[in-house]
Amino acid sequence: MSESPVTELIKGGYVHALINETKSTENRRSYESYKIKVNGLDLEEATIEINSSYLIEYERDSAGVLKQISFWKEGITP
């Protein structure tokens, strides 16, 4: 897997809203092809701190297909 660089710094509230929107979308085909992790943990095990900032890391395969989106709390090294 190759990784694109971390490109955004966002607030935890945005991460929380984005994940909830992703999980509640009826047409999930566009989301089923990749995993979401927070601080290296699977989404089901992770805690999102609303007032914290997070870096986004996009992981793609050799063909450029998105495989995983990781949100890293600012100050935690991926």
Side-chain angles (χ1 to χ4, degrees):
M1 246 189 249
S2 63
E3 296 179 11
S4 62
V6 174
T7 58
E8 297 177 69
L9 179 65
I10 57 177
K11 290 292 182 187
Y14 176 83
V15 175
H16 183 59
L18 176 69
I19 289 172
N20 282 340
E21 178 182 329
T22 300
K23 289 172 72 178
S24 66
T25 301
E26 288 184 31
N27 180 4
R28 292 183 43 89
R29 284 195 309 253
S30 62
Y31 300 111
E32 290 174 350
S33 62
Y34 63 84
K35 292 181 177 183
I36 298 174
K37 291 195 172 212
V38 178
N39 297 329
L41 299 173
D42 289 326
L43 184 60
E44 294 78 19
E45 301 170 14
T47 300
I48 301 163
E49 295 181 13
I50 301 296
N51 295 321
S52 294
S53 295
Y54 289 81
L55 297 168
I56 299 177
E57 181 179 58
Y58 302 96
E59 295 180 31
R60 300 178 184 276
D61 66 15
S62 59
V65 175
L66 183 62
K67 293 297 181 184
Q68 181 171 294
I69 300 175
S70 296
F71 297 95
W72 293 93
K73 185 176 174 188
E74 190 175 30
I76 296 178
T77 305

